[in-house]
Amino acid sequence: MDGFEVTEAGEVRSMLSSFVEYASTPGEEAAVVAWFERCLDDWGFETVTWDADATVLAGHPSFPDDPTEIDVDGRPSVAGVLEVGDPEVGRTLVLNGHVDVVPAGEGSWSSPPFEATWSDGAVTARGAADMKGGLVAAAFAARAAVTRVRDRGLDGRVVVEGVAGEEEGGIGAGMAALESPYEFERDACIVAEPTELACVTAVEGSLMGEITLEGRSAHAATRWRGESVLDHFERVREGLRAFERERDDAVTDPRYERFPIKWPVNVGTVRAGEWASSVPAALSAGVRVGVAPGETVAGVEEALRERLRLVADADAWTREHPPAFERDGIQFEAAAVDADEPVVDALRGAMRTAGLDDEPRGATYGADSRHYVAAGIPTVLFGPGSIDQAHFPDETISLSEVRAAADVLADATVEFLANE
């Protein structure tokens, strides 16, 4: 492959600056989607927009069963399509990114989170890394790749997607996977998540839910008459730690060997008691359990329930009042793509041309790739920035890395379309 180089550094910087100044937190994506659609229109893309249907999403295991719990109103997604030659005889590649960002508390930032603050060739703003930088790279890559594909007399189609609601389970991507907004088939997809310019072929899933415990209240002055849920929760927590350790040893995937904990079990919230002078009689804890590629959320849930049964059986009180577990909110299935898929091969070749390490890796977070993989569309992750910046104050990405990602994505797109 002949390496592509993005030369429009000023244009890339300008677009990224405008992009990050939209406070596109969950439910507030409409304005940035309209702006991105205008950008795509101006560049000659044929644009397609779609809205998610909560009833359709409720039938998907990632989402709550009750459609009223899925917020889809005023949250469109958009795609730009560029066609070359006879696209019906060529391949179609989707370059995907999400436009939504997590909220930002201004007090913890050194600059306003929704203003583009540039320093030493890097921009600080909410969403810079996760993942507006990646979507900018995808857009510029598509434009450049199509020009090169046309010059070579090739056939094909490139789609750039800006989807809403990724942080809430993948509302836009999930809908596009379940009911395609396009009149053509999609052969493969690259999601430009912040992978530090690495090839990520596996993403971890997660089981989210709530553990509840029942005790017996009493006055603090006679606390021996009560049954504190805190004492029993300590045993539950130790059981969860053992569950994590055992899974780390038993569930293996070479793409995850670099992580100190491959399938983390995290207790994120704990609520217990009503009054300092009362023995706490009820407790609820929010829990996230990592799901490995090849596993299902349902399978991990059953294993977790079995662990809680073992904890309960070890004590007379919890045998009679066992801890309960209930799924809560969004679930993320794990997803993986084979390294010999054409889209992975094209990406790795482009990475080698750029002098990057092309060894496939795994990621411990979830991504919209799982929706496309489940729909039979081979999908790999590659993009600028680091997940270590995502959701953190002073989120930053360098312009040079965005441009480098665009280079690789353009090369990968050309290679994928050229090898029918």
Side-chain angles (χ1 to χ4, degrees):
M1 285 181 292
D2 52 335
F4 164 76
E5 183 177 354
V6 172
T7 57
E8 310 90 338
E11 193 177 359
V12 175
R13 173 174 169 147
S14 177
M15 183 181 186
L16 183 54
S17 292
S18 296
F19 205 171
V20 298
E21 294 193 349
Y22 283 89
S24 51
T25 52
E28 302 296 329
E29 299 100 333
V32 76
V33 167
W35 169 83
F36 193 54
E37 183 178 12
R38 290 193 298 272
C39 292
L40 296 172
D41 279 332
D42 290 345
W43 290 344
F45 287 79
E46 180 182 345
T47 57
V48 177
T49 60
W50 66 95
D51 295 301
D53 185 326
T55 301
V56 172
L57 292 179
H60 189 284
S62 282
F63 295 93
D65 295 334
D66 183 353
T68 63
E69 296 181 14
I70 308 172
D71 179 15
V72 300
D73 292 340
R75 307 181 72 177
S77 296
V78 64
V81 182
L82 290 174
E83 298 182 338
V84 182
D86 184 353
E88 299 308 316
V89 302
R91 287 173 168 171
T92 295
L93 178 65
V94 177
L95 303 179
N96 166 280
H98 64 85
V99 301
D100 56 308
V101 302
V102 297
E106 292 199 20
S108 57
W109 286 65
S110 59
S111 59
F114 293 107
E115 291 183 14
T117 302
W118 287 90
S119 177
D120 297 326
V123 63
T124 297
R126 171 58 82 221
D130 185 23
M131 59 168 294
K132 292 177 176 178
L135 191 47
V136 167
F140 278 90
R143 293 172 62 192
V146 164
T147 298
R148 292 169 61 202
V149 168
R150 184 178 293 115
D151 290 345
R152 291 173 58 173
L154 302 173
D155 303 303
R157 184 186 289 113
V158 184
V159 181
V160 177
E161 287 184 344
V163 295
E166 189 270 352
E167 301 290 357
E168 293 186 312
I171 289 170
M175 193 68 205
L178 292 168
E179 294 187 0
S180 175
Y182 311 112
E183 296 180 354
F184 48 80
E185 297 297 320
R186 295 157 288 179
D187 295 298
C189 178
I190 301 175
V191 178
E193 285 279 5
T195 68
E196 300 179 5
L197 302 182
C199 172
V200 172
T201 58
V203 293
E204 191 168 322
S206 61
L207 167 66
M208 303 283 286
E210 187 173 67
I211 294 173
T212 54
L213 278 169
E214 178 185 346
R216 184 176 60 226
S217 187
H219 194 290
T222 56
R223 70 178 183 84
W224 58 87
R225 299 184 186 279
E227 193 75 36
S228 172
V229 289
L230 296 178
D231 296 334
H232 297 299
F233 183 61
E234 282 302 311
R235 293 191 302 103
V236 169
R237 282 203 69 192
E238 184 49 47
L240 293 178
R241 292 189 191 101
F243 183 61
E244 179 186 74
R245 290 192 298 270
E246 292 165 16
R247 281 178 48 74
D248 221 46
D249 292 337
V251 183
T252 60
D253 186 314
R255 292 168 293 194
Y256 285 82
E257 291 305 317
R258 64 194 178 96
F259 294 107
I261 303 174
K262 298 188 289 292
W263 328 116
V265 179
N266 184 65
V267 178
T269 63
V270 178
R271 296 177 293 276
E274 297 176 350
W275 191 249
S277 63
S278 298
V279 173
L283 180 145
S284 62
V287 179
R288 177 196 185 276
V289 182
V291 177
E295 294 186 309
T296 64
V297 168
V300 173
E301 180 180 359
E302 180 53 39
L304 174 64
R305 290 183 182 277
E306 177 59 27
R307 177 50 52 110
L308 293 175
R309 283 192 286 269
L310 290 174
V311 171
D313 286 345
D315 179 85
W317 176 266
T318 50
R319 281 197 295 272
E320 296 296 323
H321 307 85
F325 176 79
E326 184 175 350
R327 286 197 196 188
D328 182 34
I330 304 299
Q331 310 302 318
F332 283 70
E333 293 288 352
V337 62
D338 291 337
D340 59 359
E341 282 287 349
V343 67
V344 179
D345 188 58
L347 175 61
R348 294 181 68 188
M351 293 172 67
R352 289 192 296 271
T353 297
L356 298 173
D357 178 2
D358 71 319
E359 184 68 22
R361 300 181 185 179
T364 56
Y365 52 82
D368 275 343
S369 58
R370 73 191 190 283
H371 293 302
Y372 296 110
V373 170
I377 303 169
T379 304
V380 61
L381 272 61
F382 173 87
S386 172
I387 196 65
D388 292 340
Q389 291 287 326
H391 302 195
F392 277 78
D394 289 344
E395 181 179 347
T396 299
I397 196 169
S398 72
L399 179 63
S400 63
E401 193 164 335
V402 174
R403 296 179 67 213
D407 295 346
V408 173
L409 289 171
D411 261 352
T413 300
V414 173
E415 183 71 5
F416 180 76
L417 297 185
N419 291 283
E420 300 176 17

